[in-house]
Structures are given as structure tokens and as C-alpha cells.
Amino acid sequence: MSQINGFVGRRGFLKFAGVMGIGAAAFGHRFWDTQQAAAADVHPVNPNPVSASEAIRRLLNGNERFINQQRKYPDQSLERLRLVAKAQYPFAAILGCADSRVPAEIVFDQGLGDLFVVRVAGNVASDMAIGSLEYSTAVLGSQLIVVLGHKRCGAVTEAIKNEPLPGRIGFVVESIKPALANVKLTTGNTSDDAVIANVKYQAKQLQESSIILAKLLSVGKLKIVGACYDLDTGKVNIVN
């Protein structure tokens, strides 16, 4: 694989992943698991990574600015655009819901190149989402992943209803249903409790379904936290 200043480059990482994908198809899951474990040793190209605690601080401070209508619109200048065109080093990754009312860069008051955002209905930790987050952490150097759910999530509501759905919508809902077994009545609102349970479940899926993310967690180079966005107030609360 190509290296940049001693680190595995993005092009090399993708080439490596492609070769491993072919190998997995030919030789089965055991081969893939072994190679994925090796890939977990990939070192990010980010020369100055932001710690998880600092990343959380930046996100929550930005959310406070958003709530109080004191936004700074950081990193949105033409100069910033030209800078990140050369390379990106997002300080945090977000696995968020595709809901149009929860755009991460806006609710956290961030700009170009600040966040690596993966959005899918129900903030589901699908294989594609996990692969994207592996790239953000193992290659780009993000040390924080936030699983961002939101109140009155339509995908979670459909999972609660447990009714047949058309097309591939059901794929999303089926990925949420296991989370409902872990619902704890803590807010007095079943829907909100289900959203929180889903956030926790998807965060757990990230840790248990990816050797790369698990490796980074084990060596202290990654933290995964859950959060919930209030559609009515705009506030983001960390989910414990």
C-alpha cells in the first residue's frame, strides 16, 4: 500500500479493501476476518488528530450557538474551501438519521471539512455505514463517532408499529427492531425511549460489527457516543 509520511494513504487503503473484498468472496468469512484484523492496524493520515473529549466539546459548544442563534458559521470561507480541497481531516464522524430536519453541520454550527457525516434513515449501522466510518477513523483520523438520533424518528415509529412496509423500507425498520427489546421507560414517552434505545443499540453494533473500530477503541484512538436531537428546541443531548 502507498504511504504518506509513514502512514497508509487513502488510495492504498481503498485498494487494499477492494482486494480483501475479492478475497472474502473467494475464500469465505474466515479469510476476511483475518485481513480485517490486519487492516485495523492502519494508521490515520491526520498529523494532528483532535481528541474525542475535545471533539465532543466543539460539537456541544456549536450546538449551544445554534440554539441561541449565535452561530459563527466557521470554516465556510473560500480560503477554507480551497484548503480542504487538498486534504480532509474531520475532527468527528456522525452517524445520523437521514431526516431533513437534522443536518449535522448546521445543528453543530460546523463548516467544510469539520465533520464526516454518514446519514441513513434511523441512523442504522448498516454495512455501508460501518465501512464509511471505518474510513473516517482508520484513514482520516477522526477519534470520535457520534450516533445521532432524534425525537419522533419516523423509522423508529414504524419499527414500533411492526407492520408490513413497501419496497426496501422494511430493511431499515428490521435493523431497528432488535433495539426495541432494550427499551427502558425513562422519559415517560415510549417513542422517545425507543429512539434512545435505538441510538444505544446502533452504537453497540458499531463496536461489535467492526474489528477496525474495535481495535481503535481498544487502543484509545476512538470513542463512540450516542446523542439525541430535540426537533422542537434544536438541543443535542448526550445519551449515556
Side-chain angles (χ1 to χ4, degrees):
M1 287 181 284
S2 63
Q3 299 200 2
I4 302 174
N5 295 329
F7 298 108
V8 175
R10 282 168 282 186
R11 183 176 299 175
F13 179 85
L14 293 175
K15 181 179 180 181
F16 178 77
V19 171
M20 290 306 103
I22 295 172
F27 302 111
H29 295 296
R30 182 175 298 179
F31 178 86
W32 172 242
D33 289 343
T34 301
Q35 299 307 324
Q36 194 178 27
D41 291 324
V42 171
H43 297 286
V45 297
N46 190 342
N48 298 297
V50 175
S51 69
S53 58
E54 171 61 16
I56 292 173
R57 187 192 69 80
R58 291 187 188 184
L59 291 175
L60 294 182
N61 284 350
N63 182 240
E64 282 296 318
R65 295 195 300 270
F66 170 72
I67 294 170
N68 296 319
Q69 293 297 293
Q70 297 176 344
R71 284 172 283 182
K72 295 182 178 180
Y73 305 99
D75 297 330
Q76 297 180 31
S77 66
L78 183 59
E79 181 182 2
R80 175 67 173 181
L81 184 150
R82 291 169 176 166
L83 178 64
V84 297
K86 301 174 183 178
Q88 61 167 326
Y89 302 118
F91 71 80
I94 311 290
L95 173 56
C97 183
D99 193 296
S100 63
R101 299 166 292 180
V102 197
E105 288 88 352
I106 294 178
V107 304
F108 288 118
D109 191 29
Q110 301 300 322
L112 297 168
D114 290 332
L115 305 179
F116 190 95
V117 183
V118 180
R119 298 180 67 182
V120 61
N123 41 274
V124 168
S126 65
D127 288 344
M128 293 298 181
I130 292 173
S132 297
L133 294 169
E134 287 176 341
Y135 181 76
S136 172
T137 54
V139 179
L140 302 182
S142 304
Q143 295 197 0
L144 174 70
I145 295 176
V146 178
V147 180
L148 181 62
H150 65 91
K151 290 190 175 184
R152 301 194 300 279
C153 177
V156 174
T157 299
E158 292 299 329
I160 294 172
K161 290 180 180 178
N162 196 26
E163 298 174 352
L165 294 165
R168 300 190 180 187
I169 300 175
F171 290 171
V172 175
V173 174
E174 289 300 320
S175 297
I176 296 173
K177 286 182 180 179
L180 301 183
N182 302 317
V183 173
K184 294 182 180 180
L185 300 178
T186 57
T187 69
N189 183 305
T190 302
S191 176
D192 288 350
D193 290 331
V195 166
I196 292 173
N198 183 52
V199 166
K200 292 181 177 180
Y201 175 77
Q202 303 303 338
K204 186 178 180 182
Q205 287 296 103
L206 290 180
Q207 299 177 48
E208 296 182 350
S209 302
S210 170
I211 294 177
I212 291 177
L213 298 183
K215 174 70 174 181
L216 292 170
L217 285 163
S218 69
V219 297
K221 292 184 178 180
L222 176 64
K223 185 173 184 178
I224 299 176
V225 301
C228 187
Y229 176 78
D230 190 322
L231 292 174
D232 299 307
T233 67
K235 184 172 180 59
V236 173
N237 289 302
I238 299 298
V239 172
N240 297 315

